[in-house]
Amino acid sequence: MLRNMVQSLVEHERIVTTEPKAKELKRVGDQVVGWAKKWARAQQLAADYQSKGSIEQARQEAANAQHNLKQAHSWVRQRPILIKLLHQLGPRYLDREGGYTRVLKLARRRAGDQAPMAVIEYVDREGELRQAKPPTGKKGECAHEDGVVELLVK
C-alpha cells in the first residue's frame, strides 16, 4: 500500500489521505527524493570526471548513480513515474537539504469512520497550498540572494 501511495505522490505531487498514512508517507517520500538527488549529483559528477579524463572516478560516480537508481526503483516501479522522479523532482531539490514534503491537516473528517484527513504534497512546486520557507543553507554560507552576507551559526 505504501509503495502505491509513493507512486501516486510522485505522479500527482499532492494527494489526500488519512493523517497517520500521510505521516508515514512523508518519511518515505522524502527518502525517495533524496535518492533522486543523489542520482542527479552522481550523474553530474560522472560527466565532469569523464570530461576531465578521470576515468576511474567517473566509474565510481556512475556506480553511485546506479545504486541510487536501484534504491529509488525499489519504491517506484512504473517507468514514467520513475523518470519524473529522477529528471524533475531530483534536480528541483538539489539546493534543499531536506523537508521535501509537507503534511497539512484538513478540518473535515472522512465520512463513515470519521478518520482525520490530511493533504501531503511536495514543496516548491506550482499550485501548492502554502508557500515553502526558503532553504536556510549550510553553516557558513550566505543565506540571502540579495548580496547581504549573513553567516548561519547553529
Side-chain angles (χ1 to χ4, degrees):
M1 174 190 68
L2 199 55
R3 181 178 289 152
N4 291 333
M5 291 179 74
V6 169
Q7 290 186 149
S8 294
L9 180 62
V10 170
E11 182 179 11
H12 303 291
E13 297 187 26
R14 177 193 301 155
I15 59 172
V16 178
T17 185
T18 62
E19 194 177 316
K21 288 179 186 175
K23 288 180 180 179
E24 184 64 24
L25 182 61
K26 178 178 176 54
R27 180 185 63 84
V28 180
D30 285 351
Q31 193 175 38
V32 168
V33 171
W35 288 324
K37 273 178 50 176
K38 289 177 186 175
W39 177 84
R41 279 198 186 115
Q43 290 286 91
Q44 289 174 350
L45 287 173
D48 290 344
Y49 286 139
Q50 191 170 10
S51 67
K52 292 177 184 176
S54 290
I55 302 301
E56 189 57 39
Q57 288 178 327
R59 284 184 183 153
Q60 180 63 38
E61 289 302 326
N64 289 342
Q66 183 69 22
H67 173 71
N68 289 306
L69 174 66
K70 286 181 181 181
Q71 292 288 337
H73 188 261
S74 69
W75 280 94
V76 179
R77 295 292 184 154
Q78 295 178 7
R79 187 175 174 86
I81 299 173
L82 183 64
I83 290 171
K84 179 179 181 179
L85 174 69
L86 296 174
H87 293 284
Q88 289 180 13
L89 296 181
R92 181 191 302 172
Y93 297 114
L94 279 175
D95 295 334
R96 184 175 278 274
E97 290 297 314
Y100 314 114
T101 56
R102 167 190 311 132
V103 176
L104 300 171
K105 297 178 184 178
L106 296 177
R108 64 177 172 83
R109 291 178 168 256
R110 183 165 58 192
D113 63 355
Q114 297 298 309
M117 299 297 287
V119 172
I120 181 168
E121 67 178 0
Y122 283 114
V123 298
D124 294 338
R125 65 180 199 79
E126 292 192 23
E128 61 185 346
L129 298 177
R130 186 182 73 184
Q131 292 297 317
K133 295 177 184 174
T136 57
K138 296 179 184 174
K139 185 176 180 179
E141 289 184 0
C142 178
H144 298 287
E145 295 178 9
D146 58 358
V148 177
V149 176
E150 177 182 320
L151 294 179
L152 301 173
V153 179
K154 293 184 180 180

